[in-house]
Amino acid sequence: MCLSTVYKNKMDPASIAMKNVMTIECRDGLVILTDLMERQVAIEGELEKANLVDGYVIVKETNPA
């Protein structure tokens, strides 16, 4: 099983959006993450990088907080 940690804007522990992500869906300007427990998080932005070997994904936010 290949699960990933998703970060907002940069790979930094303070920027973790969700861990144990099993699916990523890009739709209407949103990146929708679903974890192993079926919880979902939607981030306004776009997929910047996905490294599935190392288990991380970076999402570039459209409007960072």
Side-chain angles (χ1 to χ4, degrees), residues 13 31 50:
V31 179

Side-chain angles (χ1 to χ4, degrees), residues 4-6 8 11 16 20 25 27 31 36 43 45-47 51-52 54 57 61 63-64:
S4 296
T5 299
V6 177
K8 294 180 184 178
M11 201 167 142
I16 293 175
N20 298 317
E25 191 176 341
R27 177 174 66 220
V31 179
L36 198 55
I43 302 170
E46 62 186 32
L47 187 62
N51 185 324
L52 302 180
D54 291 332
V57 175
E61 288 183 288
N63 297 312

Side-chain angles (χ1 to χ4, degrees), residues 18-31:
M18 183 177 260
K19 292 183 178 183
N20 298 317
V21 173
M22 63 178 189
T23 63
I24 300 171
E25 191 176 341
C26 298
R27 177 174 66 220
D28 300 324
L30 295 174
V31 179

Side-chain angles (χ1 to χ4, degrees), residues 44-62:
E44 189 175 335
E46 62 186 32
L47 187 62
E48 184 173 280
K49 181 177 183 178
N51 185 324
L52 302 180
V53 172
D54 291 332
Y56 72 88
V57 175
I58 299 173
V59 174
K60 184 176 178 184
E61 288 183 288
T62 304

